[in-house]
Amino acid sequence: MTHEVFNQAPPLVDYDITEDSALLEGITREGAAWAAGDLHRLGKLGGTAEAQRWADEANRYEPRLVTHDQYGHRVDEVEFHPSWHRLMDVAVGAGLAGAPWADDRSGAHVARAAGLFVWSQVEAGHSCPISMTYAVVPALRAAPALAEAYEPLLTSRVYDPGLRTPLAKRGLLAAMGMTEKQGGSDVRANTTAATPAGDGTYRLRGHKWFTSAPMSDLFLVLAQGPAGLSCYLVPRVLPDGTRNVFRIQRLKDKLGNRSNASSEPEFDGTVGWLVGDEGEGVRTIIEMVAMTRLDCVVGSAAGMRAALSQAIHHARHRHAFGGPLADKPAMRAVLADLAVESEAATALAMRLAGAVDRGEEAFRRLAVAAGKYWVCKRQPAVVGEALECLGGNGYVEDSGLPRLYRDAPLNSIWEGSGNVQALDALRAVRREPDSLDAFRAEVARAAGADRRLDDAAADLDRNLAERNDPEARARWLVERMALVLQGSLLVRYAPAPVADAFCATRLAGHWGHAFGTLPRGLDSEAIVIRAATRF
Ligand SMILES: Cc1cc2nc3c(=O)[nH]c(=O)nc-3n(C[C@H](O)[C@H](O)[C@H](O)COP(=O)(O)OP(=O)(O)OC[C@H]3O[C@@H](n4cnc5c(N)ncnc54)[C@H](O)[C@@H]3O)c2cc1C
């Protein structure tokens, strides 16, 4: 032996992910304190070495496309490592898929969002089909007969994988196909055609360039019907047990999200059932997209929290220049700055989930759009900085940070890429004034509590009133909207050091262009202690 190994941080294992003050206070505030016991169980499972192994294996042994069986018949199946199935089983069993739609308890959507926040810290990729299954339910209600048949299975807590007749299964997964080669954001460019078959069903012909989770049972698919772009429910297996045509050409070779399969399917005589009115495809599927956008906020908040936990854990155990890294003022400033960002994202995610429970439609419309833009944009920056806190170890796969880093940009791309999302928020401001009223009313609840917040809110109002060239300023305006909203939540609910740091930096501008550039006079130590009390 050439040397003794010392001063390496122990693995962050056997801890409870749910022991997170910002999260626990959030669920209490938003009416889901009753779920704390289940969330702690989920958090403890997520902190085990076993769950961490599932996450690692689900990404290391990637899904494999099987186009044909041994006799040459097309099967278009995707094989997953058993660890993927374990992650899915826990997620569906914990009610993170469609369950809250069948749960009358007040706070059910908050409880589920909190569960997703906790469990997707273990592994983000599998939250894609979980999220789409959650999100499909309100959209499917536009076709009451289909909803009546399938909703009980989409809201089930049983994970029942495999391609079989949907109604013969104990639980279903759903996904969506919108993006085509010639256009993803601009879905009006879709060329997939849907022709009436004369028996009330349609036959689809065309392709999709991205369709994630192709092993799902049901898909909402956009296609050009006789009256324009319409939404169709496409099952992988037809009610008579035969396979619907769903030819998977390829799986994407992606930057991250590698545990999850994202496919390019082709439709040719594929059976679809109309959902919503003909020609109203976007209006119909937007009900699903609105919910997946909420989950993008939750997922990005989770990705940031997961990275922050690793950074604080490492900095507390690693010594350099005579003491723990976490005690070095420059490192403490970085950790505090990251913790503020993480808490702001967590508070907003829980507030948005609460808006679902309380049916605050107008508020949700604008706040989810702005929140999706901003929280998802912050994730790569936060994870990159957290990774650096681990030094060279953070750049090495064993630390888990590279996976978090590869996954980080995704939420900002799908379900409305940055510009599209910012423009969507501005569209809500312009065309749905009640959403702006609801947004202002929410911010006004914090009025008078912090002058910097009041000034930022007034400045935002002045800028929103200006009509010249709003598209070019979309990102700036929507960023400010999200910051003002986050600031209002932190001023009302977070401990003073966190709210003070947020207002000084994000609202009053006493901040640099990298994390760790907090101005003098803030209580960085209290901020880090709050974020780190649990491990
Ligand atoms: C891993 C992964 C999984 C996916 N899974 C699915 C899935 O399951 N189902 C599905 O339907 N899609 C899926 N997508 C596709 C995704 O939703 C699209 O990639 C996304 O909507 C952007 O569309 P696009 O790629 O065609 O880019 P484009 O629409 O060409 O956009 C390119 C860039 O231009 C910007 N832009 C677009 N319009 C404007 C404008 N008017 N003004 C200014 N800027 C603009 C966008 O913000 C973006 O940055 C997935 C994507 C990825 C990466």
Side-chain angles (χ1 to χ4, degrees), residues 132 176-179 183-186 210-212 254 257 262 410 413-415 417-420 423:
M132 290 196 288
M176 65 166 109
M178 299 186 293
T179 307
S185 309
D186 189 0
F210 281 93
T211 295
S212 291
K254 297 174 286 185
N257 190 253
S262 298
L410 182 53
I413 294 174
W414 64 14
E415 307 300 330
S417 308
N419 290 347
V420 169
L423 291 171

Side-chain angles (χ1 to χ4, degrees), residues 463-502:
N463 277 283
L464 284 173
E466 279 180 22
R467 295 278 159 190
N468 50 348
D469 207 8
E471 281 206 15
R473 284 162 42 82
R475 281 189 177 220
W476 188 89
L477 287 167
V478 175
E479 174 179 324
R480 293 306 290 177
M481 254 186 255
L483 288 172
V484 164
L485 182 56
Q486 287 183 320
S488 75
L489 294 172
L490 295 185
V491 161
R492 287 164 72 195
Y493 303 123
V498 175
D500 188 24
F502 188 92

